[in-house]
Each structure stands twice: as C-alpha cells, then as structure tokens.
Amino acid sequence: MEFVERKRWLFFGLPFTFTKYTIKEDMITIDAGFLKTVENDCYMYKVQDVQHSASLAEKLFGLGTVTCFTGDTTHPQLVLEHIKNSKAVKDFILEESEQARLKRRTVNMLDIGSANMDDLDDSE
C-alpha cells in the first residue's frame, strides 16, 4: 500500500503547493519546491511516534496534519501539513513503522521503573 498526498492550501483545501508526500511501507519521502526541488527520505523503522492534529479550519476542509517523531538526523520531526486522509496516513505510518522495526530487529524496550517497584516490595 502507498499514500501519495499533496500539501494543500488551508483555504478550501486546494492542492496549489509544490510539496508532495509519498508514504510507502518502508520509507517516507517529502518532495518540496518548484525552482529548487528538495527531496528528503526517512526510513520507516526510524519513526518512533506519530501525532495527528487538525485545527478548526483544517476540519472544515477535511484536512489534517501528521507529525512523525523520528530518529533521523536531518529531520527529527517530519511534518506532513494539510493533507487529506490524515487519520488513515497516521494509522498506516504507525503500523508500518512497527513492522519495519520488527523486521530489522530494532525494537526499543522502555524501562518504566519496574525495578523500583521490586525494591519497594522487598522492604516490607
């Protein structure tokens, strides 16, 4: 599966910008610019968390913004602004980033302080 979305004007959600987002199963690509084009890629396994937001104006025109928090050095935060199907894109990125981490065996495990709970049980 693949999503290809364009950044849109907030006014009526018209796609008159020169930024295109391509979200594939293994990579997110942002192509921006008209005279000078800049292409930025981020591997899906580097995406650590995803946030969806929609302002009132975005909601009126059926748009949303997806922010990806990554371990990428060039773009620690990838912002996919004013796109259609933003909730579906967010869910796709979350699912595929988890699959990519499992495939590469780069799953992060967080220590949320369970060792401190064991110390409390021993003192009683």
Side-chain angles (χ1 to χ4, degrees):
M1 187 171 191
E2 176 179 304
F3 283 96
V4 178
E5 295 287 340
R6 287 200 166 277
K7 180 180 177 180
R8 298 170 179 269
W9 283 355
L10 197 51
F11 184 68
F12 293 123
L14 300 173
F16 290 136
T17 63
F18 297 101
T19 302
K20 182 173 78 171
Y21 307 112
T22 306
I23 301 103
K24 299 179 188 173
E25 295 168 347
D26 61 339
M27 185 177 297
I28 300 172
T29 303
I30 300 174
D31 291 321
F34 177 64
L35 296 176
K36 178 184 176 187
T37 304
V38 177
E39 182 177 305
N40 186 18
D41 296 320
C42 178
Y43 286 109
M44 199 61 86
Y45 75 91
K46 291 185 177 186
V47 175
Q48 297 167 353
D49 197 13
V50 181
Q51 176 184 12
H52 175 267
S53 62
S55 66
L56 179 61
E58 284 178 322
K59 288 179 186 179
L60 286 175
F61 298 112
L63 305 175
T65 298
V66 177
T67 305
C68 301
F69 300 95
T70 70
D72 195 28
T73 56
T74 57
H75 272 85
Q77 281 189 356
L78 288 176
V79 181
L80 313 178
E81 290 183 295
H82 310 311
I83 59 173
K84 288 197 175 277
N85 306 315
S86 57
K87 286 188 179 184
V89 168
K90 179 199 72 106
D91 293 338
F92 179 76
I93 291 172
L94 270 176
E95 203 171 293
E96 291 302 321
S97 64
E98 183 66 25
Q99 292 301 321
R101 281 193 299 276
L102 288 172
K103 195 180 295 182
R104 284 181 159 259
R105 297 181 183 168
T106 59
V107 178
N108 294 354
M109 302 305 266
L110 297 175
D111 180 15
I112 56 173
S114 60
N116 295 340
M117 294 303 288
D118 293 337
D119 293 341
L120 289 175
D121 290 339
D122 292 339
S123 63
E124 291 178 14

